[in-house]
């Protein structure tokens, strides 16, 4: 099958078995790959009774049709599972080189079930898959594990592994890739799923060619766009994603002091991508096939925060370890970032839960006896770093915080629920829903909890448009008219991006749906048009929603913490506006063809060809006509 | 002390003791009486650890300075306690004659603590208080108990008693007054508090005169207003409060099918006050000193719903037992109302929880095996009546439903949380917050949970104004500007009405704050002005809030069920609008001088003279400067 390897490996760690199942063209066209195809498999094989940390959960690595092709920035893969942090659908979109490598090894994906009797890792190459003893690597951080595992396999192998956090089932643990380049499957605690399977790593080396239907056509199409993409993303290459820090701060989009502070211009300037470019930046980093280069390689050479030359903090990380904790020391942020990478922790959730703890500490809900004497105040960089260590090693207060904000607030109790900022258990990233009301709706409805990437709406509420799907100009950020439609359309589109495995930053380089459709045609040979493309995205979004509905998610979960709905941000230059979530949700359910309680209607699911999935949902969900 | 009896009885049912404590002028002026003074006593003597159904809870009956005077419609009292339904502050405002009688017996109030070893009742007259054996009366419904207790004491005595529901600790049980005239302390489950104390009744006969500072002045002042009041309330006298049913229905204010239906004009017409006036109405009913006569005496003489000549359903009851359950049979509603009165059940919560159960039944979450075969569908009048009986006797499914909607949804689980309509555990009455956005804010912030009377805002969003406190005209119901200010001011005013013991319907008769202040001067001799009057109302509102804060209430509890915030009502003639609760809350906290989490600031509490209360709160509440 053109554009695909055509088969998926099934690894049962309990039985020690490896099987291969064909990926047929019908399934591929219907669910594409990545997060979409992963969702389909998860949907079919798990459900409300699945314990996310039990052997019955699936850990799914999935590439997509674009992976390993000439499509720009397509060296990506998804990791899909049921989240131990949120208890619902989880997917994480990963950059780097690992996804392409898997495709080159002849696999579209790997579905891992069971639990190994002792620490194991997978060694995958052109010849097949071996389940190997990982005891020599257990306990290593992800940078060291990468080195050691490549030494034990192949120097050019690509490594996906957990660190001590995932091993210890920390619920905000990430799965890391590419060693010091540190490409995370960050969100939703997937590292803990991997740890629960006693699986240290998946190491891949592949050398096969990847076929596309029209190699020449694809090359020409891509070539034509390269200058546009390069031009449109030049600032990203120079300053990385955190080049936006000061702009976001000036607009009220940057997270400050656990979302309680309005302006912090001096601090933001000190931790911006521009500040990084003139200090610790070594060079930009490019994923496979990438011409954007938003990644950072940094080196803090000396001082208390000296670290290795390795991946630098991106925008979300600067926001969450920096702004959220009021840390204006870029070297400290780089150090905390490196520690998160090494332990295998999601920097977003880690920053969020530490900021939460700082607020709890300043309010006296956590005392120095809880922190082992750490003065856990906002702005204390040493405290940040020590807390990252405690979370990464699951020690002391870190054990509670590593459970995520929702559970930590449950443990701390009292007024802490007022500042436990999460949606469906997932801590929001560094975009303020009071700044972009589409983000408010997107956070409330994203299938993995508070997420900016499943809608990517902030970009379309400021600079981007997508005329080929009716988004003729950037949407006014506080205007409710058609906001629900904007968010739903973008969620459908991003569900495709997450399935093709294409980088969302391509949109900043002028890549439109028309181009994506053309590339999909050229890669697969399918006669696919914009309508099928967007309907497929809609199908995938609804599939994930229905999975969540089966897990008990309905309208009452499509909510925001009241800090976002009732606390105004006010300060110089800020437009003060609180999101009218109820009205947006009402419009959204209607536009989506969901009932008032946020459950897709039968007519919607049938229109999307999800009849089979409906049958499986009926026990747990009442689906209205 | 003029306008007051000057003393409060303290009855300890555990010890069998009766004491009297003086009510000093300073306390009276600061906390007035009724709900305000009751709140002060409750605040001082109970807290977060108090079990509402334990002997340590207080059951407080309290009159006010107006009770027993010539002030129109002032024959009222309050019952105050910690609610077993909501776990927070509870007050209930009662009409009829009992309050005046208590004052005439020389008491401003009674504070009842402890638990009697066996069923007891209090017999209060001019000579004092006896704790008497109530075993002969235990099990009687409230109509029969009234007759029997008057026979055992004095034929003109006034009886406050519980029925079988309160005896069985049903959490939506009411305390009933005046027998067949059925004046309830309806809301918050106060009947269960009385039952938990093994207290069947408080029977009062008093013959003393009640002094006022300027009898002539008061007489003249009142006399001047009587024609205005009579004119302004003529429709109420003719058609009762349910004379408004068809208007409310046409505006989208009337509750239909557990708040899920938009229009029902034919049904509403059949159960309106006008329909009642031409069918089962015998005569209007007037409370003590009342010249309005909104009460109904009805008689269904024959047929399956034949009942006694007794109190008829008022607007809220018609809304909750009628519209909410889609029962368009007025005789059935009258019968269900009579049963609620006899068992001692709050008709609002009873109608709400039955409507909730009907929705659960139609969705298959409750089955005929749960209902003992009752076909619990919307519109089934027999099912309504049978469920009232089950709740009143705490049998079968009635045991679950009698716990109120919040607990019932907890027991039923699943999607039922989506249609469990309550705020802070209290079921809303018959006013739709989508129709009046001030009602949305008032429901979210009322101190006893979803309540229309603690703000009475709907009246000021349609017909009423109050220029002497800056409400120059009725507030446009969907206009957010100054909505928070309107709601807060009215809550302060209504806190005064609940403390003076004055009837809120006086406002329909043109009674303004200026008149209330004048009457308070004439009754007490105090040199009180509008500013002190309104500040006192604000003090009382904040006092109750701070009590709730101590019990754990903060901003996250100031919420509405999502059916109100996300489901549009749409139908002929309806203005479609969903309340922007977040913004209103934000404005409200600011106007009130509360912090962002809904806790009064120290500066606010000090301004209101609540320093002493602050000290008592500090253990449980972090009060910001």
């Amino acid at each position: 099958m053109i554009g695909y390897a055509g088969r998926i490996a099934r690894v049962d760690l309990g039985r020690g078995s490896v099987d291969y199942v064909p990926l047929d063209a019908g399934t591929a066209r219907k669910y594409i790959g990545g997060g979409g195809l992963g969702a389909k498999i998860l949907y079919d094989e798990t459900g409300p009774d699945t314990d996310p940390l039990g052997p019955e959960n699936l850990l799914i690595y999935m590439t997509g049709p674009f992976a390993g092709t000439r499509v720009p920035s397509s060296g990506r893969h998804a990791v899909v599972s049921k989240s131990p942090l949120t208890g619902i659908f989880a997917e994480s979109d990963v950059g780097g080189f690992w996804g392409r490598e898997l495709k080159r090894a002849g696999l579209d994906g790997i579905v891992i079930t069971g639990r190994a009797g002792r620490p194991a890792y997978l060694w995958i190459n052109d010849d097949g898959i071996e389940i190997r003893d990982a005891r020599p690597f257990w306990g290593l951080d992800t940078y060291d594990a990468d080195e050691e595992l490549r030494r034990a396999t192949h120097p050019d192998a690509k490594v996906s592994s957990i660190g001590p956090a995932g091993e210890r089932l920390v619920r905000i643990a990430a799965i890391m890739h590419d060693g010091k380049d540190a490409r995370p499957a960050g969100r939703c605690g997937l590292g803990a799923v991997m740890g629960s399977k006693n699986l240290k790593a998946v190491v891949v080396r592949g050398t096969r060619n990847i076929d596309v239907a029209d190699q020449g056509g694809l090359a020409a199409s891509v070539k034509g766009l390269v200058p546009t993409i390069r031009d449109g993303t030049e600032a990203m290459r120079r300053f990385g994603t955190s080049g936006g820090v000061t702009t976001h701060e000036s607009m009220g989009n940057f997270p400050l002091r656990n979302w309680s502070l309005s302006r912090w211009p001096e601090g933001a300037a000190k931790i911006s991508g521009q500040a990084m470019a003139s200090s610790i930046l070594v060079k930009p980093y490019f994923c496979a096939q990438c011409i954007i280069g938003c990644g950072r390689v940094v080196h803090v050479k000396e001082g208390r925060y000296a670290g290795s030359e390795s991946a630098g903090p991106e925008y979300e990380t600067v926001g969450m370890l920096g702004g959220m904790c009021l840390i204006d020391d870029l070297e400290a942020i780089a150090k905390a970032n490196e520690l998160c990478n090494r332990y295998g922790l999601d920097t977003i959730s880690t920053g969020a839960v530490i900021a939460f703890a700082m607020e709890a500490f300043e309010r006296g809900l956590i005392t120095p006896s809880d922190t082992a004497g750490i003065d856990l105040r906002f702005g204390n960089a040493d405290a940040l770093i020590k807390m990252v260590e405690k979370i990464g090693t699951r020690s002391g207060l870190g054990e509670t915080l590593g459970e995520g904000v929702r559970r930590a607030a449950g443990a701390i109790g009292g007024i802490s629920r007022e500042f436990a900022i999460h949606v469906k258990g997932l801590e929001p990233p560094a975009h303020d829903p009071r700044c972009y009301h589409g983000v408010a709706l997107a956070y409330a409805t994203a299938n993995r909890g508070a997420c900016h990437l499943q809608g990517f709406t902030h970009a379309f509420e400021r600079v981007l448009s997508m005329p080929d799907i009716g988004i003729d100009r950037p949407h006014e950020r506080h205007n409710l008219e058609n906001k629900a439609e904007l968010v739903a359309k973008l969620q459908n589109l991003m569900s495709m991006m997450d399935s093709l495995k294409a980088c969302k930053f391509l949109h900043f380089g002028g890549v439109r749906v028309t181009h994506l459709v053309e590339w999909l045609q050229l890669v697969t040979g399918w006669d696919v048009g914009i309508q099928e493309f967007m309907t497929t995205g809609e199908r995938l979004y609804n599939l994930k929603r229905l999975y969540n509905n089966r897990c008990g998610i309905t309208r009452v979960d499509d909510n925001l913490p009241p800090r976002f709905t009732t606390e105004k941000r006010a300060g110089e230059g800020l437009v003060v506006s609180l999101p009218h979530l109820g009205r947006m949700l009402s419009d959204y359910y209607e536009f989506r063809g969901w009932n008032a309680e946020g459950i897709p209607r039968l007519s919607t699911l049938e229109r999307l060809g999800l009849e089979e999935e409906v049958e499986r949902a009926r026990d747990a969900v009442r689906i209205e006509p």
Side-chain angles (χ1 to χ4, degrees), chain A:
Chain A
M1 192 175 33
I2 301 300
Y4 291 86
R7 64 177 194 162
I8 292 168
R10 310 263 334 188
V11 176
D12 184 330
L13 292 168
R15 292 189 304 148
S17 64
V18 176
D19 298 293
Y20 299 91
V21 290
L23 172 60
D24 69 89
T27 303
R29 189 152 175 178
K30 190 166 179 182
Y31 304 100
I32 304 296
L37 185 52
K40 168 61 175 165
I41 296 167
L42 191 77
Y43 189 97
D44 285 351
E45 301 183 28
T46 70
D49 299 330
T50 305
D51 173 3
L53 296 179
E56 67 271 28
N57 196 8
L58 307 184
L59 182 68
I60 304 170
Y61 285 85
M62 195 63 63
T63 70
F66 286 179
T69 71
R70 278 171 187 269
V71 171
S73 307
S74 61
R76 306 186 77 77
H77 67 281
V79 184
V80 175
S81 190
K82 184 175 180 182
S83 166
L85 183 63
T86 63
I88 58 174
F89 175 76
E91 66 182 314
S92 201
D93 173 50
V94 191
F97 290 79
W98 192 95
R100 183 176 71 179
E101 200 76 11
L102 186 72
K103 184 83 81 77
R104 286 181 175 172
L107 291 173
D108 294 308
I110 322 168
V111 179
I112 302 166
T113 61
R115 175 183 286 143
R118 58 184 190 193
Y121 75 98
L122 302 186
W123 165 229
I124 303 178
N125 56 33
D126 293 347
D127 301 326
I129 299 180
E130 263 181 69
I131 303 173
R132 287 186 166 186
D133 185 358
R135 282 176 298 179
F137 312 101
W138 202 254
L140 292 183
D141 73 35
T142 66
Y143 289 8
D144 293 343
D146 178 78
E147 275 192 32
E148 298 293 327
L149 284 161
R150 285 190 291 116
R151 192 168 297 146
T153 55
H154 189 286
D156 296 332
K158 306 301 175 198
V159 177
S160 168
S161 86
I162 53 172
E167 293 175 6
R168 290 171 193 184
L169 309 183
V170 173
R171 287 181 202 266
I172 58 172
I175 301 172
M176 302 302 295
H177 300 77
D178 299 307
K180 288 185 174 181
D181 294 333
R183 299 295 111 186
R187 309 240 62 197
C188 305
L190 298 171
V193 176
M194 195 154 170
S196 76
K197 300 200 171 304
N198 254 331
L199 182 65
K200 178 67 180 176
V202 181
V203 186
V204 188
R205 165 75 176 150
T207 63
R208 302 184 188 200
N209 288 330
I210 294 155
D211 273 351
V212 302
D214 184 349
Q215 198 72 263
L218 182 63
S221 172
V222 167
K223 195 176 171 192
L225 263 172
V226 164
T228 319
I229 297 172
R230 274 200 217 281
D231 283 358
T233 57
E234 197 205 334
M236 276 218 185
R237 211 150 34 251
R238 288 181 65 196
F239 302 120
T241 51
S242 69
V245 164
T246 50
T247 304
H248 287 300
E249 191 282 328
S250 71
M251 295 179 70
N253 187 46
F254 196 63
L256 297 173
R257 205 187 177 283
N258 199 26
W259 306 101
S260 72
L261 185 69
S262 290
R263 292 296 316 269
W264 194 55
E266 302 80 8
K270 289 170 71 179
I271 61 177
S272 68
Q274 289 76 2
M276 195 189 302
S278 61
S279 57
I280 60 174
L281 182 68
V282 177
K283 59 183 178 186
Y285 166 88
F286 296 79
C287 296
Q289 308 296 130
C290 181
I291 54 176
I292 298 173
C294 74
R296 305 287 91 179
V297 176
V298 300
H299 195 189
V300 178
K301 289 184 187 158
E302 50 195 25
R304 65 197 310 185
Y305 301 127
S308 67
E309 181 175 314
S310 56
E314 45 130 11
Y315 171 78
E316 306 300 331
T317 303
V318 169
M320 304 309 286
L321 298 175
M324 276 286 272
C325 300
L326 288 191
I327 307 295
D328 63 1
D329 179 337
L330 187 56
E331 298 193 345
I333 293 169
K335 178 68 179 180
N337 178 57
E338 181 182 334
L339 287 173
C340 284
N341 291 343
R342 286 182 180 271
Y343 287 122
L345 286 172
D346 177 25
T347 57
I348 296 176
S349 289
T350 301
V353 79
I354 292 174
F356 163 81
M358 284 175 166
E359 182 161 354
F361 186 86
E362 292 198 354
R363 285 164 170 253
L365 298 168
I366 293 175
T367 65
S369 74
D370 300 311
T371 64
I374 297 171
D375 188 35
L376 196 57
R377 289 180 189 283
F378 287 106
N380 183 344
D382 280 348
L384 168 72
I385 284 164
K386 282 179 183 149
M387 285 317 303
V388 169
E389 284 167 352
K390 283 186 180 290
I391 294 171
T393 54
R394 199 167 179 157
S395 60
L397 183 64
E399 175 153 18
T400 301
L401 301 186
E403 298 281 283
V405 160
R406 179 166 65 181
R407 285 183 176 82
I412 292 166
I415 192 84
S416 75
R417 64 191 180 137
E418 286 286 348
F419 55 89
I421 310 298
H422 68 86
V423 179
K424 301 184 177 78
L426 188 71
E427 299 79 9
H431 300 275
D432 195 308
R434 291 165 290 192
C435 179
Y436 296 109
H437 288 185
V439 170
L441 180 58
Y443 280 177
T445 59
N447 281 317
R448 67 177 182 180
C451 170
H452 65 303
L453 290 171
Q454 300 207 309
F456 208 56
T457 57
H458 58 285
F460 290 82
E461 294 182 270
R462 194 163 67 93
V463 292
L464 294 183
S465 60
M466 195 62 72
D468 41 10
I469 56 168
I471 304 168
D472 293 335
R473 63 188 68 80
H475 204 271
E476 202 283 296
R477 59 204 176 99
H478 293 149
N479 179 4
L480 289 190
E481 290 304 316
N482 304 319
K483 189 66 94 184
E485 185 179 335
L486 174 86
V487 170
K489 277 182 176 175
L490 288 173
Q491 287 172 330
N492 295 344
L493 172 57
M494 296 308 148
S495 227
M496 282 303 286
M497 300 298 279
D498 284 331
S499 301
L500 296 165
K501 298 319 304 190
C503 176
K504 288 157 194 172
F505 288 174
L506 288 173
H507 299 312
F508 290 120
V511 171
R512 301 231 157 127
V513 173
T514 309
H515 304 117
L516 298 165
V517 170
E518 183 179 309
W519 296 341
L520 188 56
Q521 288 170 351
L522 294 166
V523 165
T524 61
W526 298 337
D527 176 28
V528 55
I530 287 186
Q531 196 182 334
E532 178 183 333
F533 185 95
M534 291 304 295
T535 301
T536 304
E538 187 184 0
R539 176 185 308 124
L540 303 178
Y541 204 84
N542 277 270
L543 170 66
K544 297 167 192 173
R545 176 69 177 192
L546 197 56
Y547 183 83
N548 284 345
N549 291 146
R550 287 169 62 203
C551 294
I553 293 292
T554 49
R555 171 177 57 181
V556 298
D557 307 295
D558 293 346
N559 211 340
L560 292 174
R563 185 162 274 182
F564 287 148
T565 55
T566 70
E567 279 184 44
K568 289 171 189 149
R569 281 200 153 180
E572 201 190 324
L574 296 190
V575 179
V576 178
S577 186
L578 293 168
H580 191 345
L581 183 61
R583 181 171 148 204
M584 288 194 289
L585 276 177
S586 175
D587 294 348
Y588 178 87
Y589 296 150
E590 196 178 322
F591 182 79
R592 278 228 174 269
W594 295 358
N595 76 357
E597 287 146 4
I599 299 169
R601 293 186 179 280
L602 185 61
S603 52
T604 302
L605 296 168
E606 286 179 346
R607 176 170 60 76
L608 298 170
L610 293 170
E611 294 86 348
E612 189 182 304
E613 285 81 357
V614 167
E615 284 317 304
R616 204 180 290 273
R618 283 206 191 276
D619 278 357
V621 188
R622 181 167 165 274
I623 296 171
E624 291 184 6

